[in-house]
Amino acid sequence: MTPKEKMSIPPQAMPEQDALERARNMREVALGYTAEMAKKEASRCLQCANAPCRKGCPVAINIPAFLAAAAEGDFAKAIAIIRETSLLPAVCGRVCPQEKQCQKDCTMGKVFKDVGKAVAIGRVERFCADFERESGAKKNVDVAPPTGKRVAVIGSGPASITVAADVRRAGHDVTMFEAFHKPGGVLVYGIPEFRLPKAIVQNEIDGLKAMGVKIETNFVVGRTRKIKDLMEKDGFDAVFVGTGAGLPKFMNIEGENLVGVFSANEYLTRANLMKAYNTARSDTPFWHGKRVAVLGGGNVAMDASRMALRLGAEKVYLVYRRSEAEMPARIEEVHHAKAEGVEFRTLQNAKRIIGDENGRVAGLECLQYELGAPDASGRRSPVAVPGSEFVLDVDTVVVAVGNASNPLIPATTEGLEINKRGNIVVDPETNATSIKGIYAGGDIVLGAATVILAMGEGRKAAAAINDYLASRGHK
Amino acid sequence: MWYNIKGMNRILEKKQLSENVYEMVVENPAIAHERKAGQFVILQVDEDFGERIPLTIADADAERGTVTIIFQTVGASTTKLSRFEPGDEIPVFVGPLGKPTDIRKAGHVVCVGGGVGVAPLHPIAQAMKEAGNKVTIVIGARTKELVIMEDEMRRIADELIIVTDDGSYGRKGLVTAPLKELCEKGDVDEVVVIGPPVMMKFAALTTKPFGVKTIASLNTIMIDGTGMCGGCRITVGGETKFVCVDGPEFNAHEVDWEQMLKRSGAFRAEEASAKEHVCRIRG
């Protein structure tokens, strides 16, 4: 095919559940490509020699190569290429912000001066991963002979899953510790079923188990057992800390502790992990807000607002102080939220939450904002318009303005260096912490980031752990 | 290695202490070994659909590897838990969570427990005694049948005062009366109070004029218990604190009790209907 022919292939739209129907069910919104669509989309790739897509990928997947294989219909080969560097393609194909990574500098997108017309790398990746899983072609990963070394992986989110797999592959004995009753971290408590089906995460966890990774749930390292004891008394030779950014930030405005105000973490955890949406079976009570305001503009804010619709809210506002162009959320999620009926209130921000005589939410007072000069993040900073106060009639407020680092591990691990934001300080090359044998990665190091960045950190840390253990020789 | 034997959570003993209050001795060597006075566990009666409920540890035996919990049936989950029998395993039992009580020799410590709050007070009173303090214990209950752990507390206390609302046992009245008298004597160095929020609120109001350091242990709504959800947050001294990681114990004079009372009732309607539901199906 000539470049011109490739350019004439229309971008393949993602089949989706009908917007109004899906807004009332928990099933996955994006239905996935058919094989034919995946081939067509993959064949749009111009196979650029300089592969700008690859530079945009935090784990540098050989994108042109896997797209070439997919274009031929050889999905097994395509997934094998993806798996050379990525461990969670079914997850990343769904949740990566591709338009800010691999698809951002795609030549095809540049040709059309529209990132939306870049090759849909993520969608093809997702198809290949789903094809592998559904066809039963997923191979068990080869594990090297036992080394006698033991590694504790703390947390079971994307960074930890990656480390567990890569370290186990080298023949080390790996135990993963999870505080909750189900492994998967943010992939199960945070990201909703309609965006990332839990069965896909479970499949990855099952893969780890098949490799021989031991998983200890209901185990809060730092409380049930301190890291020092794991290393000194329980015989772990190395530890990876991937406990994530689990400490919700609030706005610090009046009324934030009223009944009916939730962190997005709580709101989503109740709905996802605790299955509160299943009122017939779940014992976890859920706050059935009829009129919900979600504060924030990231993926979590999109998830929370769309979850509110699915839990029966009649009206959902998304209140964000900048304009839509500055929203950190994936474009696709923004589109989905709008299509499902979430009302976007951009350039508005919460000023205070109004309570009734019972201490319950009775309204949200907001201010109108406008964009001023760019701030440190490079985005134009929002400035309040004096005297522009107005009240949104809501009974529920969900705060989705990010997470700080969870303090549990630093607080219970003497000598572990953290920065002023509470993130664990690591060597950027090896992800080694200030304590020998302890490594860290993912959001606990980066602050709240993305699944694929966590995975990239995990790969680096795992390589360093494998080197470290090899250098210590056989026991 | 503790982690290898942490997970059985088998109930070894079960006792009904009063109409709605149960005591269970649960096998969990890891928690029994690590726990300190003031810490709590989170449990679930069903791994898939159960809610997560925080319960303060009433006692533990590191040698035997057991943890004692005492709970009152409030919603669906505690009602279901009350139907577990010795030999059954609690599907999820995680901890110990929260910061331990600051135990040191203060002099004369008054421990005030209301209702089922006497249970978590027990290990604190015990540790305070072991640290060399003179310990006075005040137990309050609505009526005689609801007085729990009297014998255990009597073993620790230099002086034990029991009050009941209806006067059916001990003194008639509220815990605030003896607490005030003790403060008036002027030799109280510290007060620890655990019980229903409204009781803790009035205990705090009682000690405040005397400037006696008063610690309250809060039992709020929680999910993970590790700081992730923020459902347990409460205003203390004008700042938002997370009970699970910053607490559960706080300066009682700084806690926003009105907010605490309102927040604990967030799901009251749901709890009542769920309990009713469970009782109808199973009871």
Side-chain angles (χ1 to χ4, degrees):
Chain A
M1 243 189 281
T2 64
K4 206 168 173 187
E5 283 168 326
K6 286 173 180 284
M7 280 179 231
S8 68
I9 303 169
Q12 301 296 297
M14 175 60 101
E16 290 168 355
Q17 274 197 71
D18 171 72
L20 294 178
E21 193 182 313
R22 74 187 187 226
R24 302 288 164 186
N25 72 50
M26 283 289 170
R27 293 193 302 277
E28 191 171 15
V29 166
L31 300 171
Y33 278 166
T34 61
E36 217 33 57
M37 293 165 92
K39 274 163 72 176
K40 246 190 193 163
E41 186 63 33
S43 65
R44 295 179 64 228
C45 173
L46 293 161
Q47 296 293 318
C48 313
N50 62 344
C53 49
R54 221 182 152 171
K55 294 187 188 84
C57 174
V59 296
I61 294 174
N62 191 344
I63 293 165
F66 101 73
L67 288 176
E72 297 285 312
D74 191 347
F75 300 118
K77 184 176 170 194
I79 194 68
I81 294 166
I82 295 171
R83 285 203 177 275
E84 284 166 14
T85 50
S86 173
L87 209 89
L88 300 167
V91 175
C92 292
R94 287 172 166 83
V95 305
C96 263
Q98 289 96 358
E99 71 273 6
K100 291 183 186 128
Q101 298 177 348
C102 55
Q103 290 168 205
K104 182 169 171 248
D105 290 318
C106 170
T107 312
M108 187 61 88
K110 299 274 181 211
V111 168
F112 289 105
K113 294 188 173 60
D114 177 2
V115 72
K117 290 195 173 136
V119 177
I121 300 163
R123 293 171 180 177
V124 180
E125 178 191 28
R126 167 185 162 165
F127 176 83
C128 295
D130 289 355
F131 169 86
E132 178 196 41
R133 188 181 65 254
E134 285 159 14
S135 64
K138 196 170 169 187
K139 285 190 222 86
N140 279 342
V141 184
D142 290 332
V143 172
T147 60
K149 304 277 170 54
R150 305 180 60 220
V151 178
V153 174
I154 306 169
S156 64
S160 296
I161 291 175
T162 307
V163 171
D166 281 358
V167 171
R168 177 67 194 127
R169 213 179 290 198
H172 305 305
D173 186 275
V174 177
T175 306
M176 183 181 247
F177 295 94
E178 165 57 42
F180 265 130
H181 49 293
K182 290 204 177 113
V186 71
L187 306 177
V188 297
Y189 74 71
I191 305 179
E193 177 77 15
F194 57 80
R195 194 151 76 87
L196 177 65
K198 299 296 155 273
I200 287 167
V201 183
Q202 191 55 48
N203 187 266
E204 300 297 342
I205 299 292
D206 290 345
L208 289 180
K209 286 186 187 159
M211 291 172 76
V213 172
K214 295 167 203 150
I215 301 178
E216 285 283 342
T217 51
N218 300 312
F219 197 114
V220 184
V221 174
R223 290 284 185 224
T224 311
R225 197 82 169 146
K226 293 190 172 57
I227 290 185
K228 195 166 149 261
D229 290 335
L230 290 175
M231 296 181 86
E232 290 173 6
K233 296 182 184 161
D234 301 338
F236 285 101
D237 300 284
V239 173
F240 174 77
V241 182
T243 47
L247 191 77
K249 286 185 191 163
F250 285 89
M251 306 267 297
N252 295 316
I253 55 173
E254 185 189 329
E256 224 164 6
N257 292 345
L258 288 166
V259 176
V261 183
F262 301 91
S263 75
N265 287 2
E266 180 181 1
Y267 195 77
L268 289 169
T269 301
R270 281 180 184 272
N272 294 327
L273 182 72
M274 307 311 295
K275 301 190 170 88
Y277 61 85
N278 188 337
T279 45
R281 295 194 62 189
S282 178
D283 286 339
T284 296
F286 201 82
W287 181 260
H288 291 281
K290 289 285 165 222
R291 301 177 65 82
V292 181
V294 176
L295 314 182
N299 287 316
V300 177
M302 300 303 145
D303 287 346
S305 56
R306 298 168 70 196
M307 182 62 88
L309 287 175
R310 284 159 174 80
L311 291 166
E314 286 154 12
K315 184 78 210 173
V316 179
Y317 299 104
L318 186 120
V319 180
Y320 180 58
R321 62 192 181 134
R322 301 176 200 252
S323 74
E324 199 176 310
E326 284 83 18
M327 278 188 178
R330 294 177 84 218
I331 288 177
E332 195 171 80
E333 310 312 332
V334 171
H335 291 168
H336 282 155
K338 279 188 169 173
E340 289 166 13
V342 174
E343 184 177 324
F344 279 44
R345 295 295 198 116
T346 52
L347 289 169
Q348 296 181 358
N349 197 15
K351 187 184 170 200
R352 71 180 175 112
I353 305 165
I354 302 162
D356 66 11
E357 67 282 5
N358 298 316
R360 299 189 168 221
V361 174
L364 178 70
E365 187 176 294
C366 298
L367 271 169
Q368 205 70 47
Y369 273 59
E370 54 192 23
L371 291 180
D375 64 9
S377 73
R379 296 180 296 181
R380 293 178 64 193
S381 63
V383 186
V385 179
S388 64
E389 285 87 348
F390 64 97
V391 174
L392 283 181
D393 173 23
V394 295
D395 56 26
T396 307
V397 176
V398 181
V399 184
V401 295
N403 275 277
S405 288
N406 193 291
L408 200 61
I409 294 285
T412 56
T413 311
E414 215 177 302
L416 190 67
E417 195 190 331
I418 55 171
N419 66 19
K420 61 179 189 301
R421 288 192 309 276
N423 300 120
I424 297 178
V425 176
V426 297
D427 177 327
E429 301 293 315
T430 61
N431 281 57
T433 68
S434 57
I435 302 176
K436 197 173 162 165
I438 304 182
Y439 296 75
D443 283 0
I444 188 75
V445 168
L446 301 167
T450 58
V451 170
I452 191 137
L453 281 171
M455 196 174 80
E457 289 262 298
R459 297 223 83 147
K460 242 184 333 158
I465 291 169
N466 288 339
D467 284 349
Y468 168 73
L469 293 178
S471 74
R472 295 183 71 204
H474 283 280
K475 266 202 235 179
Chain B
M1 266 179 278
W2 295 101
Y3 73 90
N4 281 331
I5 45 171
K6 62 117 208 170
M8 298 315 287
N9 309 330
R10 199 170 22 178
I11 297 167
L12 301 181
E13 293 163 34
K14 175 187 176 184
K15 241 190 320 196
Q16 186 164 2
L17 301 185
S18 70
E19 196 193 337
N20 292 321
V21 179
Y22 297 82
E23 176 186 299
M24 285 177 180
V25 177
V26 183
E27 192 175 30
N28 188 310
I31 299 177
H33 184 261
E34 286 290 319
R35 72 92 214 191
K36 292 194 172 67
Q39 291 187 296
F40 61 94
V41 294
I42 284 184
L43 61 82
Q44 271 175 257
V45 294
D46 177 305
E47 187 156 282
D48 278 325
F49 293 97
E51 80 182 293
R52 292 171 68 89
I53 38 178
L55 281 179
T56 317
I57 298 166
D59 205 352
D61 184 335
E63 254 169 58
R64 208 175 151 213
T66 60
V67 176
T68 304
I69 51 168
I70 292 181
F71 62 94
Q72 190 167 9
T73 54
V74 180
S77 300
T78 39
T79 305
K80 283 180 188 169
L81 181 63
S82 72
R83 293 182 179 138
F84 278 55
E85 296 298 335
D88 291 345
E89 282 169 24
I90 301 175
V92 171
F93 196 83
V94 56
L97 299 167
K99 287 185 183 165
T101 311
D102 178 22
I103 301 287
R104 54 198 168 77
K105 189 166 177 192
H108 181 197
V109 178
V110 177
C111 296
V112 183
V116 75
V118 172
L121 190 66
H122 174 250
I124 298 171
Q126 213 170 23
M128 284 294 187
K129 182 72 192 170
E130 277 165 20
N133 290 294
K134 176 185 171 192
V135 175
T136 301
I137 297 175
V138 182
I139 295 181
R142 271 205 328 276
T143 184
K144 187 181 179 192
E145 282 66 48
L146 300 177
V147 173
I148 60 166
M149 298 189 93
E150 183 187 345
D151 294 344
E152 289 89 336
M153 289 305 218
R154 199 173 292 282
R155 279 198 286 276
I156 300 163
D158 290 284
E159 188 189 358
L160 178 74
I161 302 165
I162 294 176
V163 290
T164 50
D165 292 8
D166 62 2
S168 55
Y169 193 49
R171 281 174 61 169
K172 181 173 163 44
L174 303 172
V175 293
T176 44
L179 182 59
K180 187 165 180 229
E181 289 159 20
L182 287 160
C183 288
E184 277 164 352
K185 279 188 201 156
D187 72 332
V188 178
D189 297 292
E190 190 171 328
V191 172
V192 181
V193 54
I194 311 183
V198 68
M199 183 207 104
M200 294 195 279
K201 174 189 161 180
F202 282 102
L205 285 174
T206 304
T207 61
K208 198 166 184 189
F210 299 96
V212 176
K213 179 183 174 188
T214 304
I215 300 297
S217 175
L218 309 185
N219 188 354
T220 50
I221 290 166
M222 277 182 203
I223 301 181
D224 58 301
T226 64
M228 194 277 288
C229 84
C232 62
R233 68 193 187 280
I234 204 83
T235 305
V236 181
E239 272 179 62
T240 293
K241 297 280 181 190
F242 287 9
V243 172
C244 66
V245 287
D246 299 321
E249 291 171 13
F250 296 100
N251 180 342
H253 297 150
E254 293 187 346
V255 172
D256 182 338
W257 290 107
E258 288 311 308
Q259 188 184 76
M260 169 77 193
L261 283 161
K262 283 166 182 157
R263 287 189 65 81
S264 5
F267 294 103
R268 193 149 291 151
E270 287 83 351
E271 277 162 4
S273 79
K275 186 180 180 184
E276 166 104 331
H277 185 67
V278 170
C279 292
R280 283 218 201 119
I281 296 173
R282 313 262 309 265

